[in-house]
Amino acid sequence: MALELDLRGVDDDRTRRYVADGSWTDQTLGTILADGLVAGRDLTLSIHSETRPWRGTFADGYDLARRVAGGLRALGVVPGEPVAFQLPNWMEAAATFWAIAMLGAVPVPIVHFYGPKEVGFILEQSGVRVLITADRFGHLDYLANLEQIRPGLDALESVFVVGDSAPAGTTSFAALAGADPIDGPMPTDPSAPALIAYTSGTTADPKGVVHTHRTIGFEIKQLGAIQAHGGRPALVGAPVGHGIGLLSALLIPVWRRDPIHLIDVWDPGRVLATMVQEGITSGNGATYFLTSLLDHPDYSDVHRQLMPYIGLGGSAVPAAVGERCAAMGISTVRSFGSTEHPSITGMTHDAPLEKRLHTDGRPLPGVEIELRDEDGHPVAVGQPGEIWSKGPDCFVGYTDAALTAAAFDRGRWFGTGDVGVLDADGFLSIVDRKKDIIIRGGENISALEVEEQLMRMPGVAEVALVAAPDLRLGEHGCAFVRLHPGRSAPTIETLRAHLERSGLARQKWPEEIRPVDGFPRTASGKVQKFVLRQQLRDEAPG
């Protein structure tokens, strides 16, 4: 059945404006995909995987997607109905997503590493009848997880499994894909929901972000227009269960008629080898994807030549990373957005170096932003304020009506929860998240400001500063630090000496440091600071 949602992210006036200026068209997600897959029928579609490698063409992918769509239609799936899938970056994930979209149904991608708690929440809230999943992947046993949660999922009727076995109560994916194919995309209302992307972000429960055919269609064109790969296809490692993975691997390349290369495990050594073998680029997205390649012992000048242009976003981008790349001859640009409003600001590689290193770009075409203080008043140029946005690619609401009501003001502006500063040239710099401010003895400390300085310490590969409970001050800063291989963790004294030399006020210095091998991350690579904060709260006395 179709979704019943309280969606208020756009009003009639803006709808008329976006249609009149061509931002919104009557194309649906299904027609965008079908047009691209047919026009690019001879382009390479390659899945780099030790588990389920696959290589073919767009035409092969389109044929499989139409057959999966036929199987879903035989189950009675109708336009507007949500259909969920939880799969690694495999061919079956691509075909399933394209199939659901071409039916006019609503894909509900689930990040492949989510466990029973998150998956159960998503399936229950979205009320899906049909789920496509895998039997296992690495240490993940999807079927065992499903067995735990299925008794509480009254709406779930059909489960299709990619893998070697389909136990009782499930059906093989091959059976689903064995149906007669649909002829092409089904007619659908372009203003109807087209995608529900669940995001964990920095909150405890996933939030179901609803995009329409028009909002996600504009985003494909918006982001696709500013991306630069130096003329080379990009190897994508971000999960297709997350918005950035979907856009980068399964949507934008189809629209741009670029070959698709997708990898299911982000192993930097394998990625570097694949880049050379295929003559492709990589490293776009969250900073981690880039730095993990630059830090790997196999990285060489050959790889540098394959990645002359890198687009960074999805998490804070330290200026030190951009400076490092510039010294190596790699041009980086930063952008700002979220699952809710994917492309708010950005820039191209012809922007001045200073802007590319230290800002997140200007508002993109059609996007409006306001920076507001805590009382909701606009702030002056150069002053920090919460970023509120509107635009043709902004989502229209959450699956939870209460979250929707809290996200938009009366003017239908979306409150991002991010804090930024606009310069005199209109370039935006993200300075923090509202929940990422450490309040030490009543003094607000920007975590990002301190992290920028700590990233310049020798041996430091990545750092996350979070608030730790403090009986005396309320909170103090705790720096979790990931080091380059073979480097020793700095002592708190070394850290403070470095910050003193940087000129950072003493009140902002962290009061403890913790070396870590890795960080808990969202699917887009963003560090989940709420997990680190909870760890510190759990350890605190009392």
Side-chain angles (χ1 to χ4, degrees):
M1 65 172 56
L3 291 161
E4 294 183 8
L5 299 167
D6 176 17
L7 304 177
R8 62 183 69 184
V10 66
D11 54 34
D12 291 341
D13 288 342
R14 269 200 295 153
T15 296
R16 285 190 288 269
R17 175 153 55 93
Y18 293 158
V19 170
D21 68 18
S23 298
W24 283 0
T25 70
D26 288 337
Q27 271 195 303
T28 65
L29 188 57
T31 59
I32 291 171
L33 289 168
D35 289 350
L37 291 169
V38 170
R41 59 178 296 108
D42 295 326
L43 292 172
T44 296
L45 200 173
S46 185
I47 308 299
H48 302 274
S49 167
E50 293 183 354
T51 306
R52 298 187 72 84
W54 192 93
R55 195 174 186 95
T57 64
F58 277 21
D60 298 324
Y62 185 52
D63 178 66
L64 179 57
R66 289 190 299 118
R67 287 187 280 116
V68 173
L72 293 172
R73 182 176 60 181
L75 290 172
V77 173
V78 298
E81 179 177 348
V83 178
F85 67 94
Q86 185 185 28
L87 293 166
N89 288 1
W90 295 343
M91 184 58 219
E92 291 84 358
T96 296
F97 175 73
W98 292 336
I100 299 167
M102 285 191 288
L103 270 183
V106 184
V108 183
I110 302 175
V111 177
H112 72 276
F113 55 71
Y114 277 3
K117 179 180 181 295
E118 296 97 337
V119 175
F121 178 88
I122 292 169
L123 296 179
E124 181 179 15
Q125 190 187 67
S126 60
V128 298
R129 293 191 302 119
V130 181
L131 168 68
I132 297 96
T133 189
D135 55 359
R136 61 178 59 252
F137 179 63
H139 70 280
L140 299 166
D141 189 331
Y142 297 106
L143 296 179
N145 290 344
L146 183 63
E147 189 175 350
Q148 292 181 44
I149 60 178
R150 193 166 186 180
L153 300 172
D154 295 334
L156 186 62
E157 297 174 0
S158 302
V159 176
F160 295 92
V161 180
V162 177
D164 297 328
S165 62
T170 69
T171 307
S172 72
F173 180 85
L176 180 69
D180 293 332
I182 64 170
D183 294 330
M186 304 291 289
T188 311
D189 178 1
S191 64
L195 173 69
I196 299 178
Y198 275 87
T199 175
S200 60
T202 54
T203 58
D205 285 325
K207 296 181 292 186
V209 176
V210 183
H211 278 279
T212 69
H213 295 273
R214 283 173 164 166
T215 64
I216 198 65
F218 182 83
E219 169 57 20
I220 293 168
K221 300 168 188 175
Q222 177 87 292
L223 186 56
I226 65 170
Q227 282 187 339
H229 295 145
R232 300 180 185 278
L235 179 62
V236 177
V240 297
H242 188 273
I244 192 61
L246 278 178
L247 283 163
S248 299
L250 304 184
L251 291 173
I252 291 175
V254 176
W255 177 73
R256 286 176 38 147
R257 292 16 169 197
D258 286 340
I260 292 175
H261 290 268
L262 192 59
I263 193 165
D264 62 351
V265 174
W266 188 261
D267 179 306
R270 281 186 57 209
V271 171
L272 291 170
T274 303
M275 288 171 62
V276 174
Q277 178 182 338
E278 300 284 351
I280 57 180
T281 188
S282 194
N284 296 285
T287 310
Y288 169 75
F289 291 114
L290 172 61
T291 56
S292 67
L293 300 181
L294 301 182
D295 295 340
H296 196 274
D298 292 346
Y299 179 80
S300 70
D301 191 60
V302 173
H303 300 100
R304 182 192 63 77
Q305 294 178 40
L306 290 170
M307 46 197 295
Y309 303 109
I310 294 292
L312 299 173
S315 62
V317 182
V321 173
E323 292 166 356
R324 177 186 181 187
C325 288
M328 300 169 67
I330 298 173
S331 174
T332 60
V333 291
R334 291 159 48 169
S335 62
F336 164 63
S338 63
T339 303
E340 290 88 344
H341 194 167
S343 293
I344 298 175
T345 64
M347 64 191 121
T348 53
H349 290 269
D350 57 1
L353 177 63
E354 186 68 17
K355 301 296 188 185
R356 290 191 285 108
L357 292 180
H358 299 288
T359 81
D360 299 279
R362 286 178 167 137
L364 291 168
V367 174
E368 305 167 69
I369 64 171
E370 280 189 1
L371 272 60
R372 304 176 184 175
D373 62 21
E374 291 187 359
D375 296 321
H377 301 131
V379 301
V381 169
Q383 297 299 310
E386 182 182 358
I387 304 160
W388 291 73
S389 68
K390 291 181 179 181
D393 57 330
C394 189
F395 80 131
V396 293
Y398 293 106
T399 47
D400 184 329
L403 290 175
T404 302
F408 294 97
D409 69 6
R410 292 182 179 179
R412 310 294 174 94
W413 289 87
F414 166 58
T416 67
D418 289 285
V419 179
V421 173
L422 274 173
D423 68 17
D425 298 317
F427 283 81
L428 179 72
S429 298
I430 308 304
V431 297
D432 229 317
R433 279 200 57 89
K434 290 179 70 176
K435 294 181 181 179
D436 202 14
I437 292 174
I438 300 162
I439 306 176
R440 180 185 183 276
E443 186 76 22
N444 285 2
I445 299 170
S446 163
L448 186 59
E449 181 184 18
V450 182
E451 289 167 353
E452 285 274 11
Q453 299 303 325
L454 296 181
M455 276 295 295
R456 290 178 164 82
M457 291 189 70
V460 172
E462 192 174 14
V463 62
L465 185 73
V466 299
D470 191 302
L471 293 175
R472 183 171 66 90
L473 300 167
E475 293 178 352
H476 67 249
C478 175
F480 288 82
V481 177
R482 181 174 67 83
L483 302 165
H484 290 298
R487 301 303 294 264
S488 299
T491 64
I492 194 69
E493 291 77 18
T494 303
L495 180 147
R496 288 175 174 172
H498 170 81
L499 293 179
E500 184 170 31
R501 288 192 297 271
S502 77
L504 194 69
R506 291 190 175 214
Q507 293 89 335
K508 299 181 179 181
W509 296 357
E511 285 161 70
E512 58 179 306
I513 182 169
R514 298 195 179 200
V516 294
D517 293 328
F519 289 101
R521 299 181 185 276
T522 66
S524 64
K526 186 174 183 177
V527 175
Q528 292 178 307
K529 288 191 171 182
F530 77 91
V531 176
L532 302 178
R533 284 193 288 265
Q534 187 60 53
Q535 175 185 330
L536 295 172
R537 285 194 292 267
D538 292 343
E539 294 173 3

